[in-house]
Amino acid sequence: MQTKFFVGRKLLLIAALGLVSACSRVGGLADPDVVSPTIQQRTQTGLALLTLPPPSERIDVAVYSFEDLTGQQRENENFSSFSKAVGQGNAAVLVDILTEVGNDSWFNVVERTEVQSLLSERSLIDQTNTQFRGAKRSLLPPIRFAGILLKGGIVNYDSNVQTSGIGARMLGIGETVEYRRDEVSVALRAVSVATGEVLTSVTTNKIVYSALVQAGVFKFVSTDRILEFETGFSRNEPVGLAVRQAIELAVFEMIKEGELKNLWQFADPAAGSEALSRINPYTAMRRGAMNG
């Protein structure tokens, strides 16, 4: 019995050392807290937007805000948390997505989220030119204006939409798996500056997955000694990435809706139709029904 106990302790020590050694090699570095930064990986929808064929004419758009309208706080069962469930910089995410559509061939995005800073800098330049260079009028070109405003935001975030788990133990050895699903919703609409008409309006949903896997051993190795060992890992889908995917799909759907309503057109209609139907065949069927 004693021999089994010492063997069990040795195996446990080896496993622990293996975990520590693995952690120390995270990112190929000695310090697990020092990991090199990486560029945001493109999603399937992001790649579809990037490779979208160019339009017949670039579209001037402005984004003033794209707020979190849910008011949802980050869930925590142990203490009160004042952190938001989703990020608060989603206007910057939307602008970044718009500038990438069609490899920057679709939209002229004008700065409006921080327009006061832009106006202040232009005013400073004008004052300098007037006082020190003798200029009698502004030497700056006029600010470009937009014909379409893009409005909307994150309209819903539901936690624990679905939870489940399963576990089994035999002879003191067992494993458990837990699963959770959240859901985030994004709304995006295009508004005509000239008339105030809502040109297109779309809503998209994205599921956020979380999973926890645990395994353990609990055995009596002698009458008064117990061997206990636990290990596990969890995988939580980043909420920021999920929000970006929902916004990307909203932009894609907005482009499809606008193309169906003849608000804008592809320079090559055949290539555009193929690109849109590639990600969602329903678009081709709807286009045929509208044209029929």
Side-chain angles (χ1 to χ4, degrees), residues 19-60:
L19 289 174
V20 172
S21 176
C23 290
S24 65
R25 293 192 298 270
V26 172
L29 302 172
D31 187 350
D33 294 328
V34 180
V35 180
S36 300
T38 59
I39 299 175
Q40 176 73 61
Q41 294 183 353
R42 298 190 185 278
T43 63
Q44 180 181 358
T45 309
L47 288 173
L49 286 173
L50 183 67
T51 58
L52 203 63
S56 57
E57 184 179 359
R58 288 172 66 95
I59 306 164
D60 295 322

Side-chain angles (χ1 to χ4, degrees), residues 121-135 139:
E121 189 64 23
R122 288 174 62 90
S123 177
L124 180 61
I125 294 174
D126 287 339
Q127 291 178 13
T128 302
N129 289 335
T130 300
Q131 296 176 7
F132 299 99
R133 299 177 181 174
L139 302 179

Side-chain angles (χ1 to χ4, degrees), residues 56-153:
S56 57
E57 184 179 359
R58 288 172 66 95
I59 306 164
D60 295 322
V61 297
V63 179
Y64 277 82
S65 64
F66 199 81
E67 299 178 355
D68 170 23
L69 305 177
T70 66
Q72 183 83 358
Q73 304 289 343
R74 183 174 298 174
E75 189 175 271
N76 196 306
E77 299 178 355
N78 299 322
F79 55 86
S80 298
S81 175
F82 296 99
S83 298
K84 295 294 185 180
V86 296
Q88 304 299 292
N90 300 296
V93 175
L94 176 57
V95 169
D96 182 52
I97 293 171
L98 292 171
T99 58
E100 293 182 349
V101 177
N103 201 15
D104 197 21
S105 65
W106 264 84
F107 299 106
N108 289 320
V109 186
V110 296
E111 176 59 50
R112 290 296 183 269
T113 57
E114 295 291 341
V115 67
Q116 190 57 50
S117 300
L118 176 63
L119 295 176
S120 298
E121 189 64 23
R122 288 174 62 90
S123 177
L124 180 61
I125 294 174
D126 287 339
Q127 291 178 13
T128 302
N129 289 335
T130 300
Q131 296 176 7
F132 299 99
R133 299 177 181 174
K136 297 183 179 180
R137 62 180 180 84
S138 176
L139 302 179
L140 296 173
I143 295 179
R144 192 180 188 96
F145 57 84
I148 294 177
L149 295 180
L150 297 184
K151 308 286 290 181

Side-chain angles (χ1 to χ4, degrees), residues 272-287:
S273 177
E274 180 183 356
L276 293 181
S277 60
R278 192 182 305 129
I279 192 170
N280 188 356
Y282 170 72
T283 302
M285 294 188 294
R286 184 177 176 187
R287 181 181 290 106

Side-chain angles (χ1 to χ4, degrees), residues 254-270:
M254 178 191 70
I255 292 174
K256 291 195 300 185
E257 291 289 335
E259 196 268 344
L260 288 172
K261 296 180 179 179
N262 293 320
L263 299 175
W264 43 73
Q265 298 295 329
F266 288 95
D268 184 348

Side-chain angles (χ1 to χ4, degrees), residues 147-173:
I148 294 177
L149 295 180
L150 297 184
K151 308 286 290 181
I154 303 173
V155 296
N156 196 33
Y157 188 92
D158 290 323
S159 301
N160 296 331
V161 174
Q162 182 179 353
T163 59
S164 61
I166 188 172
R169 184 177 293 272
M170 183 176 182
L171 300 177
I173 302 175

